[in-house]
Amino acid sequence: MLTTNPFDDDKLREECGIFGVSAASGSGAALVALGLHALQHRGQEAAGITSFDGHHFHTHRAMGHVAGNFDRDDVIRALPGSVACGHVRYSTTGETALRNVQPLYAELSTGGFAVAHNGNISNAMKLRRELVRRGSIFQSTSDTETIIHLVATSSYRTLLDRFIDALKQVEGAYSLIVMTPEGMIACRDPLGIRPLVMGKLDDAVIFASETVALDVCGAEFVRDVEPGELVIVQGGEVRSIKPFGPMAPRPCIFEWVYFSRPDSIVGDHSVYSVRKAIGAELAREAPVEADLVIPVPDSGVPAAIGYAQASGIPFELGIIRSHYVGRTFIQPGDKVRHLGVKLKHNANRALIKGKRVVLIDDSIVRGTTSLKIVQMMRDAGAAEVHMRIASPPTKHSCFYGVDTPERTKLLAHKLDLGGMTDFIHADSLSFVTIDGLYKALGEANRADIRPKYCDACFTGDYPTTLTDQDESGPSVDQFAMLAERVI
Protein backbone atom coordinates (compact mmCIF):
# COMPACT_ATOMS: atom_id res chain seq x y z
CA MET A 1 0.00 0.00 0.00
CA LEU A 2 1.14 3.53 -0.74
CA THR A 3 -0.61 6.80 -0.08
CA THR A 4 -2.07 8.33 -3.22
CA ASN A 5 -2.05 11.81 -1.75
CA PRO A 6 1.32 13.40 -2.47
CA PHE A 7 0.53 16.10 0.09
CA ASP A 8 -0.21 13.76 3.02
CA ASP A 9 3.15 12.04 3.37
CA ASP A 10 5.05 15.15 4.49
CA LYS A 11 2.81 16.81 7.05
CA LEU A 12 2.91 17.22 10.78
CA ARG A 13 0.28 14.67 11.81
CA GLU A 14 -2.84 15.90 13.51
CA GLU A 15 -2.22 14.42 16.98
CA CYS A 16 -5.57 13.08 18.34
CA GLY A 17 -9.13 14.17 18.99
CA ILE A 18 -11.33 13.49 22.02
CA PHE A 19 -15.05 13.83 22.67
CA GLY A 20 -17.16 13.08 25.73
CA VAL A 21 -20.78 13.41 26.79
CA SER A 22 -22.39 13.09 30.20
CA ALA A 23 -26.14 12.61 30.70
CA ALA A 24 -27.18 12.41 27.06
CA SER A 25 -30.94 12.16 26.59
CA GLY A 26 -30.49 9.19 24.27
CA SER A 27 -27.49 7.07 23.36
CA GLY A 28 -24.27 8.66 24.55
CA ALA A 29 -22.25 6.53 22.14
CA ALA A 30 -24.28 7.71 19.13
CA LEU A 31 -23.58 11.32 20.06
CA VAL A 32 -19.89 10.58 20.57
CA ALA A 33 -19.68 8.87 17.17
CA LEU A 34 -21.15 11.99 15.57
CA GLY A 35 -18.63 14.18 17.37
CA LEU A 36 -15.74 11.96 16.35
CA HIS A 37 -16.77 12.28 12.69
CA ALA A 38 -16.18 16.03 13.06
CA LEU A 39 -12.77 15.39 14.63
CA GLN A 40 -11.63 12.78 12.10
CA HIS A 41 -9.02 15.17 10.68
CA ARG A 42 -7.12 14.98 13.98
CA GLY A 43 -6.40 11.27 13.63
CA GLN A 44 -7.24 8.73 10.95
CA GLU A 45 -5.37 5.73 12.29
CA ALA A 46 -7.92 4.35 14.75
CA ALA A 47 -11.02 5.22 16.76
CA GLY A 48 -12.69 4.03 19.95
CA ILE A 49 -15.72 4.68 22.16
CA THR A 50 -16.39 3.68 25.79
CA SER A 51 -19.83 4.03 27.37
CA PHE A 52 -21.22 3.59 30.88
CA ASP A 53 -24.79 2.43 31.52
CA GLY A 54 -24.81 3.11 35.26
CA HIS A 55 -23.55 -0.37 36.11
CA HIS A 56 -21.07 -1.52 33.48
CA PHE A 57 -18.55 -0.04 31.06
CA HIS A 58 -18.66 -1.03 27.38
CA THR A 59 -15.89 -0.42 24.85
CA HIS A 60 -15.47 -0.80 21.10
CA ARG A 61 -12.14 0.09 19.51
CA ALA A 62 -11.08 -0.39 15.91
CA MET A 63 -8.36 0.47 13.43
CA GLY A 64 -9.38 2.88 10.69
CA HIS A 65 -11.88 5.69 10.40
CA VAL A 66 -15.01 6.44 12.42
CA ALA A 67 -17.10 5.73 9.32
CA GLY A 68 -17.32 2.02 8.77
CA ASN A 69 -16.63 1.27 12.43
CA PHE A 70 -19.18 3.37 14.30
CA ASP A 71 -21.94 4.04 11.76
CA ARG A 72 -23.49 0.60 12.34
CA ASP A 73 -26.53 0.15 14.58
CA ASP A 74 -25.23 -3.08 16.10
CA VAL A 75 -22.02 -1.37 17.28
CA ILE A 76 -23.87 1.55 18.87
CA ARG A 77 -26.43 -0.76 20.51
CA ALA A 78 -23.52 -2.64 22.11
CA LEU A 79 -22.45 0.64 23.77
CA PRO A 80 -25.46 1.45 25.99
CA GLY A 81 -25.67 4.33 28.43
CA SER A 82 -26.02 8.10 28.54
CA VAL A 83 -22.36 8.67 29.41
CA ALA A 84 -19.64 8.02 26.83
CA CYS A 85 -16.29 9.24 25.57
CA GLY A 86 -14.37 8.63 22.38
CA HIS A 87 -11.03 9.13 20.67
CA VAL A 88 -9.59 9.36 17.17
CA ARG A 89 -5.92 8.52 17.01
CA TYR A 90 -2.79 9.25 15.15
CA SER A 91 0.01 7.65 17.12
CA THR A 92 2.87 9.75 18.43
CA THR A 93 4.02 7.22 21.03
CA GLY A 94 3.52 3.48 20.92
CA GLU A 95 3.15 1.28 17.88
CA THR A 96 0.12 1.11 15.61
CA ALA A 97 -1.84 -1.67 17.29
CA LEU A 98 -5.32 -2.22 18.68
CA ARG A 99 -4.05 -2.36 22.25
CA ASN A 100 -2.96 1.29 21.94
CA VAL A 101 -6.32 2.49 20.60
CA GLN A 102 -8.17 4.67 23.09
CA PRO A 103 -10.10 5.12 25.30
CA LEU A 104 -7.91 2.96 27.51
CA TYR A 105 -9.83 1.15 30.25
CA ALA A 106 -8.89 -0.51 33.53
CA GLU A 107 -10.61 -1.84 36.63
CA LEU A 108 -9.20 -0.03 39.67
CA SER A 109 -10.00 -0.51 43.34
CA THR A 110 -12.44 2.38 42.96
CA GLY A 111 -14.15 0.79 39.93
CA GLY A 112 -13.89 1.23 36.19
CA PHE A 113 -11.63 3.94 34.79
CA ALA A 114 -11.58 4.98 31.12
CA VAL A 115 -9.38 7.72 29.70
CA ALA A 116 -9.08 9.47 26.32
CA HIS A 117 -5.98 11.61 25.84
CA ASN A 118 -4.83 14.23 23.36
CA GLY A 119 -1.21 15.21 23.86
CA ASN A 120 2.02 13.61 24.95
CA ILE A 121 3.55 12.97 28.37
CA SER A 122 7.18 13.93 28.08
CA ASN A 123 8.34 11.98 31.16
CA ALA A 124 6.23 8.86 30.49
CA MET A 125 9.19 6.52 29.99
CA LYS A 126 10.80 7.53 33.27
CA LEU A 127 7.50 7.12 35.12
CA ARG A 128 6.90 3.80 33.39
CA ARG A 129 10.26 2.40 34.51
CA GLU A 130 9.53 3.41 38.10
CA LEU A 131 6.03 1.91 37.97
CA VAL A 132 7.28 -1.38 36.52
CA ARG A 133 9.88 -1.64 39.28
CA ARG A 134 7.03 -1.21 41.79
CA GLY A 135 5.06 -4.05 40.19
CA SER A 136 2.83 -2.39 37.58
CA ILE A 137 2.04 -4.53 34.53
CA PHE A 138 1.49 -2.49 31.36
CA GLN A 139 -0.84 -3.70 28.62
CA SER A 140 0.09 -1.14 25.95
CA THR A 141 3.00 0.96 24.76
CA SER A 142 0.97 4.17 24.98
CA ASP A 143 2.13 6.99 27.25
CA THR A 144 -1.51 7.41 28.31
CA GLU A 145 -1.47 4.16 30.25
CA THR A 146 1.04 5.75 32.63
CA ILE A 147 -1.77 7.91 34.00
CA ILE A 148 -3.89 4.85 34.80
CA HIS A 149 -1.07 3.23 36.79
CA LEU A 150 -0.29 6.46 38.65
CA VAL A 151 -3.94 6.67 39.70
CA ALA A 152 -4.02 2.99 40.67
CA THR A 153 -0.91 3.22 42.85
CA SER A 154 -1.63 6.57 44.48
CA SER A 155 -1.88 6.55 48.27
CA TYR A 156 -4.69 9.10 48.35
CA ARG A 157 -8.14 7.92 49.37
CA THR A 158 -10.61 9.42 46.92
CA LEU A 159 -10.44 8.84 43.17
CA LEU A 160 -10.36 12.58 42.46
CA ASP A 161 -7.39 13.05 44.80
CA ARG A 162 -5.66 10.07 43.19
CA PHE A 163 -6.21 11.56 39.76
CA ILE A 164 -4.82 14.94 40.81
CA ASP A 165 -1.86 13.19 42.41
CA ALA A 166 -1.20 11.41 39.11
CA LEU A 167 -1.41 14.62 37.07
CA LYS A 168 1.05 16.38 39.36
CA GLN A 169 3.65 13.75 38.47
CA VAL A 170 3.39 14.04 34.68
CA GLU A 171 5.09 16.52 32.39
CA GLY A 172 4.12 17.63 28.91
CA ALA A 173 0.79 18.22 27.22
CA TYR A 174 -2.58 16.67 27.87
CA SER A 175 -6.25 17.23 27.37
CA LEU A 176 -8.07 14.36 29.04
CA ILE A 177 -11.59 13.01 29.33
CA VAL A 178 -11.96 10.47 32.12
CA MET A 179 -14.98 8.29 32.90
CA THR A 180 -15.54 6.67 36.29
CA PRO A 181 -18.64 5.25 38.02
CA GLU A 182 -18.84 8.56 39.89
CA GLY A 183 -18.92 10.76 36.81
CA MET A 184 -16.83 12.40 34.11
CA ILE A 185 -13.73 14.55 34.47
CA ALA A 186 -12.28 16.77 31.73
CA CYS A 187 -9.00 18.59 32.16
CA ARG A 188 -6.12 20.38 30.44
CA ASP A 189 -2.48 20.62 31.39
CA PRO A 190 -1.43 23.78 33.29
CA LEU A 191 -0.07 25.41 30.11
CA GLY A 192 -3.14 24.54 28.03
CA ILE A 193 -0.95 23.25 25.19
CA ARG A 194 -3.69 21.03 23.75
CA PRO A 195 -7.22 22.40 23.24
CA LEU A 196 -10.46 21.34 24.95
CA VAL A 197 -13.88 23.00 24.96
CA MET A 198 -17.11 22.49 26.87
CA GLY A 199 -20.61 22.59 25.41
CA LYS A 200 -24.19 21.85 26.33
CA LEU A 201 -26.99 20.01 24.54
CA ASP A 202 -30.24 20.10 26.51
CA ASP A 203 -29.17 18.64 29.87
CA ALA A 204 -26.06 16.94 28.54
CA VAL A 205 -22.57 18.31 29.14
CA ILE A 206 -20.16 17.80 26.24
CA PHE A 207 -16.39 18.07 25.97
CA ALA A 208 -14.51 18.13 22.66
CA SER A 209 -11.14 18.97 21.18
CA GLU A 210 -12.71 21.56 18.86
CA THR A 211 -15.87 23.63 18.63
CA VAL A 212 -16.72 22.12 15.24
CA ALA A 213 -17.64 18.88 17.02
CA LEU A 214 -20.19 20.82 19.07
CA ASP A 215 -21.60 22.40 15.92
CA VAL A 216 -22.09 19.03 14.25
CA CYS A 217 -23.97 17.73 17.28
CA GLY A 218 -26.16 20.82 17.56
CA ALA A 219 -24.63 21.66 20.93
CA GLU A 220 -24.08 25.13 22.34
CA PHE A 221 -20.53 26.25 23.01
CA VAL A 222 -20.17 27.18 26.68
CA ARG A 223 -16.46 27.96 27.11
CA ASP A 224 -12.93 26.63 26.86
CA VAL A 225 -11.76 24.31 29.59
CA GLU A 226 -9.08 26.53 31.09
CA PRO A 227 -5.42 25.55 31.36
CA GLY A 228 -4.87 23.61 34.58
CA GLU A 229 -8.60 23.21 35.18
CA LEU A 230 -10.51 20.05 36.05
CA VAL A 231 -14.22 20.11 35.21
CA ILE A 232 -16.12 17.43 37.11
CA VAL A 233 -19.60 16.31 36.01
CA GLN A 234 -21.63 14.20 38.43
CA GLY A 235 -25.25 13.76 37.47
CA GLY A 236 -26.59 17.25 36.84
CA GLU A 237 -23.84 18.96 38.85
CA VAL A 238 -20.87 20.60 37.15
CA ARG A 239 -18.00 21.94 39.23
CA SER A 240 -14.51 23.19 38.57
CA ILE A 241 -11.26 22.96 40.48
CA LYS A 242 -7.74 24.22 39.74
CA PRO A 243 -5.27 22.11 41.71
CA PHE A 244 -2.12 23.47 40.06
CA GLY A 245 -0.27 26.69 40.72
CA PRO A 246 -0.90 29.54 38.25
CA MET A 247 1.13 29.47 35.06
CA ALA A 248 1.13 31.61 31.92
CA PRO A 249 -0.70 29.59 29.22
CA ARG A 250 1.18 28.45 26.11
CA PRO A 251 -1.38 26.86 23.72
CA CYS A 252 0.01 25.22 20.58
CA ILE A 253 0.22 27.84 17.82
CA PHE A 254 0.04 25.15 15.14
CA GLU A 255 -3.65 24.62 15.94
CA TRP A 256 -4.31 27.81 13.96
CA VAL A 257 -1.74 27.04 11.26
CA TYR A 258 -2.87 23.52 10.37
CA PHE A 259 -4.32 21.14 12.97
CA SER A 260 -7.78 22.54 13.69
CA ARG A 261 -10.58 22.59 11.16
CA PRO A 262 -11.06 26.03 9.57
CA ASP A 263 -14.62 26.24 10.92
CA SER A 264 -13.48 25.84 14.53
CA ILE A 265 -12.97 28.58 17.09
CA VAL A 266 -9.79 28.04 19.11
CA GLY A 267 -9.03 30.32 22.03
CA ASP A 268 -11.57 32.94 20.86
CA HIS A 269 -9.95 33.07 17.41
CA SER A 270 -11.64 31.86 14.22
CA VAL A 271 -9.19 29.40 12.68
CA TYR A 272 -10.28 30.41 9.18
CA SER A 273 -9.79 34.12 9.91
CA VAL A 274 -6.36 33.58 11.44
CA ARG A 275 -5.23 31.56 8.42
CA LYS A 276 -6.40 34.33 6.09
CA ALA A 277 -4.55 36.86 8.23
CA ILE A 278 -1.39 34.74 8.06
CA GLY A 279 -1.66 34.80 4.27
CA ALA A 280 -2.05 38.57 4.29
CA GLU A 281 1.03 38.95 6.51
CA LEU A 282 2.93 36.67 4.15
CA ALA A 283 1.96 38.84 1.18
CA ARG A 284 3.28 41.93 2.94
CA GLU A 285 6.49 40.22 4.07
CA ALA A 286 7.26 38.30 0.86
CA PRO A 287 5.71 39.97 -2.21
CA VAL A 288 6.41 38.65 -5.69
CA GLU A 289 5.29 39.55 -9.19
CA ALA A 290 3.01 36.77 -10.37
CA ASP A 291 -0.16 35.99 -12.28
CA LEU A 292 -1.92 33.51 -9.97
CA VAL A 293 -2.11 32.56 -6.30
CA ILE A 294 -2.73 28.83 -5.97
CA PRO A 295 -3.40 26.98 -2.70
CA VAL A 296 -2.06 23.53 -1.95
CA PRO A 297 -5.34 21.77 -1.09
CA ASP A 298 -6.90 21.77 1.29
CA SER A 299 -5.02 23.31 4.20
CA GLY A 300 -3.45 26.08 2.13
CA VAL A 301 -6.76 27.55 0.93
CA PRO A 302 -7.51 30.20 3.63
CA ALA A 303 -3.93 31.51 3.64
CA ALA A 304 -3.96 31.67 -0.16
CA ILE A 305 -7.17 33.72 -0.07
CA GLY A 306 -5.52 36.11 2.39
CA TYR A 307 -2.39 36.33 0.24
CA ALA A 308 -4.41 37.01 -2.91
CA GLN A 309 -6.54 39.68 -1.27
CA ALA A 310 -3.53 41.49 0.24
CA SER A 311 -1.41 41.25 -2.92
CA GLY A 312 -4.10 41.85 -5.53
CA ILE A 313 -3.00 38.73 -7.43
CA PRO A 314 -5.97 36.57 -8.53
CA PHE A 315 -6.76 33.46 -6.49
CA GLU A 316 -7.32 30.35 -8.57
CA LEU A 317 -7.70 26.62 -7.97
CA GLY A 318 -4.66 25.44 -9.87
CA ILE A 319 -4.60 22.03 -8.19
CA ILE A 320 -7.82 20.03 -8.37
CA ARG A 321 -8.53 17.46 -5.71
CA SER A 322 -10.67 14.38 -6.20
CA HIS A 323 -12.81 13.66 -3.13
CA TYR A 324 -13.73 10.17 -4.30
CA VAL A 325 -10.40 8.42 -3.90
CA GLY A 326 -9.38 6.61 -0.73
CA ARG A 327 -6.16 7.29 1.10
CA THR A 328 -4.42 4.19 -0.25
CA PHE A 329 -4.18 2.38 -3.54
CA ILE A 330 -2.54 -0.95 -4.42
CA GLN A 331 0.21 -0.05 -6.87
CA PRO A 332 1.72 -3.02 -8.71
CA GLY A 333 4.55 -1.29 -10.55
CA ASP A 334 6.70 1.82 -10.70
CA LYS A 335 4.75 3.34 -13.58
CA VAL A 336 1.38 2.88 -11.88
CA ARG A 337 2.88 4.05 -8.60
CA HIS A 338 3.95 7.28 -10.25
CA LEU A 339 0.60 7.79 -11.95
CA GLY A 340 -1.30 6.96 -8.75
CA VAL A 341 -0.29 10.33 -7.32
CA LYS A 342 -2.64 12.00 -9.80
CA LEU A 343 -5.66 10.03 -8.63
CA LYS A 344 -6.25 12.51 -5.84
CA HIS A 345 -4.59 15.76 -7.00
CA ASN A 346 -3.96 17.02 -10.49
CA ALA A 347 -2.75 20.29 -11.96
CA ASN A 348 -5.28 22.50 -13.72
CA ARG A 349 -3.12 22.59 -16.82
CA ALA A 350 -5.18 25.01 -18.92
CA LEU A 351 -5.06 27.57 -16.12
CA ILE A 352 -1.37 27.21 -15.26
CA LYS A 353 0.35 27.00 -18.65
CA GLY A 354 2.59 30.03 -19.25
CA LYS A 355 1.70 31.63 -15.89
CA ARG A 356 3.83 32.81 -13.00
CA VAL A 357 2.29 31.09 -9.99
CA VAL A 358 2.53 31.55 -6.24
CA LEU A 359 1.90 28.32 -4.37
CA ILE A 360 0.66 28.68 -0.77
CA ASP A 361 1.10 25.82 1.69
CA ASP A 362 0.86 25.65 5.48
CA SER A 363 4.31 24.20 6.21
CA ILE A 364 7.41 22.42 4.95
CA VAL A 365 8.56 19.41 6.94
CA ARG A 366 10.92 17.13 5.01
CA GLY A 367 10.44 19.04 1.78
CA THR A 368 9.39 16.05 -0.31
CA THR A 369 5.85 17.35 -0.72
CA SER A 370 6.96 20.79 -1.87
CA LEU A 371 9.30 19.19 -4.38
CA LYS A 372 6.39 17.20 -5.88
CA ILE A 373 4.09 20.22 -6.02
CA VAL A 374 6.66 22.46 -7.71
CA GLN A 375 7.35 19.72 -10.25
CA MET A 376 3.61 19.32 -10.86
CA MET A 377 3.44 23.03 -11.73
CA ARG A 378 6.48 22.77 -14.01
CA ASP A 379 4.97 19.77 -15.81
CA ALA A 380 1.76 21.77 -16.32
CA GLY A 381 3.73 24.50 -18.09
CA ALA A 382 4.12 27.15 -15.38
CA ALA A 383 6.56 29.89 -16.40
CA GLU A 384 7.66 30.52 -12.80
CA VAL A 385 6.89 28.78 -9.53
CA HIS A 386 7.18 30.70 -6.27
CA MET A 387 6.49 28.98 -2.93
CA ARG A 388 5.11 30.84 0.09
CA ILE A 389 4.66 29.06 3.42
CA ALA A 390 2.08 30.15 6.01
CA SER A 391 4.28 29.25 8.98
CA PRO A 392 7.90 29.86 9.95
CA PRO A 393 10.50 27.21 9.11
CA THR A 394 9.95 24.02 11.13
CA LYS A 395 13.39 23.51 12.65
CA HIS A 396 12.62 21.57 15.83
CA SER A 397 10.71 18.42 16.77
CA CYS A 398 7.51 18.53 18.81
CA PHE A 399 7.27 16.49 22.02
CA TYR A 400 3.71 17.48 22.95
CA GLY A 401 1.58 15.11 20.91
CA VAL A 402 2.48 15.93 17.31
CA ASP A 403 4.20 13.32 15.17
CA THR A 404 7.27 15.22 13.98
CA PRO A 405 10.29 13.69 12.28
CA GLU A 406 13.63 13.73 14.06
CA ARG A 407 15.18 17.16 13.92
CA THR A 408 17.90 15.90 11.57
CA LYS A 409 15.19 15.03 9.00
CA LEU A 410 13.59 18.49 9.01
CA LEU A 411 14.52 20.38 5.85
CA ALA A 412 14.75 23.73 7.66
CA HIS A 413 17.18 22.24 10.17
CA LYS A 414 19.46 20.89 7.47
CA LEU A 415 19.41 23.77 4.97
CA ASP A 416 19.24 27.55 4.89
CA LEU A 417 16.63 29.36 2.79
CA GLY A 418 18.72 29.22 -0.37
CA GLY A 419 19.39 25.52 0.11
CA MET A 420 15.69 24.80 0.65
CA THR A 421 14.78 26.78 -2.45
CA ASP A 422 17.22 24.75 -4.53
CA PHE A 423 16.00 21.49 -2.99
CA ILE A 424 12.37 22.03 -3.99
CA HIS A 425 13.40 23.53 -7.37
CA ALA A 426 11.35 26.71 -6.85
CA ASP A 427 12.12 30.13 -8.34
CA SER A 428 11.72 31.60 -4.86
CA LEU A 429 10.71 30.48 -1.38
CA SER A 430 9.62 32.47 1.66
CA PHE A 431 8.09 31.70 5.05
CA VAL A 432 5.98 33.96 7.23
CA THR A 433 8.10 35.24 10.12
CA ILE A 434 7.38 34.31 13.72
CA ASP A 435 6.41 37.96 14.31
CA GLY A 436 4.04 37.81 11.33
CA LEU A 437 2.44 34.68 12.78
CA TYR A 438 1.90 36.43 16.12
CA LYS A 439 0.48 39.50 14.35
CA ALA A 440 -2.05 37.29 12.57
CA LEU A 441 -3.26 36.25 16.03
CA GLY A 442 -3.58 39.89 17.09
CA GLU A 443 -0.39 39.98 19.13
CA ALA A 444 2.68 42.20 19.12
CA ASN A 445 6.02 41.03 17.83
CA ARG A 446 7.08 37.88 19.66
CA ALA A 447 10.32 39.50 20.78
CA ASP A 448 8.37 42.32 22.47
CA ILE A 449 6.21 40.08 24.67
CA ARG A 450 6.44 36.97 26.76
CA PRO A 451 5.62 34.19 24.27
CA LYS A 452 1.89 33.48 24.52
CA TYR A 453 1.95 30.27 22.49
CA CYS A 454 3.94 27.09 22.27
CA ASP A 455 5.96 27.71 19.11
CA ALA A 456 8.81 25.34 19.92
CA CYS A 457 8.71 23.67 16.49
CA PHE A 458 9.78 27.03 15.04
CA THR A 459 11.87 28.56 17.84
CA GLY A 460 13.12 25.65 19.96
CA ASP A 461 11.62 27.37 23.02
CA TYR A 462 10.02 24.39 24.80
CA PRO A 463 7.69 25.50 27.61
CA THR A 464 8.20 22.38 29.76
CA THR A 465 10.99 20.07 30.77
CA LEU A 466 11.57 17.12 28.43
CA THR A 467 12.75 14.43 30.82
CA ASP A 468 12.61 11.43 28.48
CA GLN A 469 14.21 13.35 25.64
CA ASP A 470 16.99 14.72 27.84
CA GLU A 471 17.77 11.24 29.17
CA SER A 472 17.67 9.42 25.84
CA GLY A 473 19.20 11.97 23.49
CA PRO A 474 17.70 13.88 20.57
CA SER A 475 17.18 11.03 18.13
CA VAL A 476 15.84 8.18 20.28
CA ASP A 477 12.12 7.40 20.42
CA GLN A 478 11.98 5.17 23.48
CA PHE A 479 8.35 4.20 22.94
CA ALA A 480 9.20 3.12 19.39
CA MET A 481 12.05 1.02 20.78
CA LEU A 482 9.69 -0.47 23.32
CA ALA A 483 7.17 -1.27 20.63
CA GLU A 484 9.82 -3.12 18.63
CA ARG A 485 10.66 -5.23 21.66
CA VAL A 486 7.10 -6.15 22.58
CA ILE A 487 5.53 -6.78 19.15
Side-chain angles (χ1 to χ4, degrees), residues 54-68:
H55 302 283
H56 303 286
F57 287 84
H58 310 268
T59 296
H60 183 80
R61 301 180 299 164
M63 306 304 297
H65 289 189
V66 179

Side-chain angles (χ1 to χ4, degrees), residues 247-261:
M247 299 179 72
R250 294 282 297 275
C252 173
I253 203 166
F254 223 87
E255 290 288 345
W256 290 277
V257 173
Y258 175 65
F259 293 139
S260 295
R261 259 179 52 163

Side-chain angles (χ1 to χ4, degrees), residues 45-46 63 89 91 93-101 141 483 487:
E45 186 177 274
M63 306 304 297
R89 180 176 192 257
S91 62
T93 61
E95 88 273 29
T96 301
L98 189 60
R99 62 178 173 161
N100 284 334
V101 179
T141 58
I487 288 174

Side-chain angles (χ1 to χ4, degrees), residues 115-191:
V115 58
H117 172 207
N118 172 210
N120 193 57
I121 298 170
S122 58
N123 65 335
M125 284 303 303
K126 180 180 180 181
L127 292 170
R128 184 186 184 111
R129 288 193 297 268
E130 294 171 354
L131 287 161
V132 169
R133 279 196 294 267
R134 287 157 47 189
S136 291
I137 301 172
F138 281 74
Q139 301 298 313
S140 76
T141 58
S142 169
D143 62 327
T144 308
E145 191 180 355
T146 307
I147 296 171
I148 296 176
H149 289 276
L150 290 173
V151 173
T153 58
S154 173
S155 59
Y156 284 85
R157 186 177 63 85
T158 69
L159 178 61
L160 181 59
D161 286 338
R162 288 184 176 195
F163 184 53
I164 293 170
D165 180 40
L167 295 182
K168 287 185 175 180
Q169 297 178 64
V170 304
E171 302 169 357
Y174 56 83
S175 286
L176 300 170
I177 297 175
V178 169
M179 288 170 51
T180 76
E182 299 175 12
M184 179 173 283
I185 306 171
C187 66
R188 289 174 77 190
D189 67 79
L191 293 175

Side-chain angles (χ1 to χ4, degrees), residues 397-413:
S397 298
C398 175
F399 303 104
Y400 300 121
V402 180
D403 183 35
T404 319
E406 297 173 10
R407 188 179 179 189
T408 56
K409 296 180 180 178
L410 296 171
L411 191 69
H413 172 73

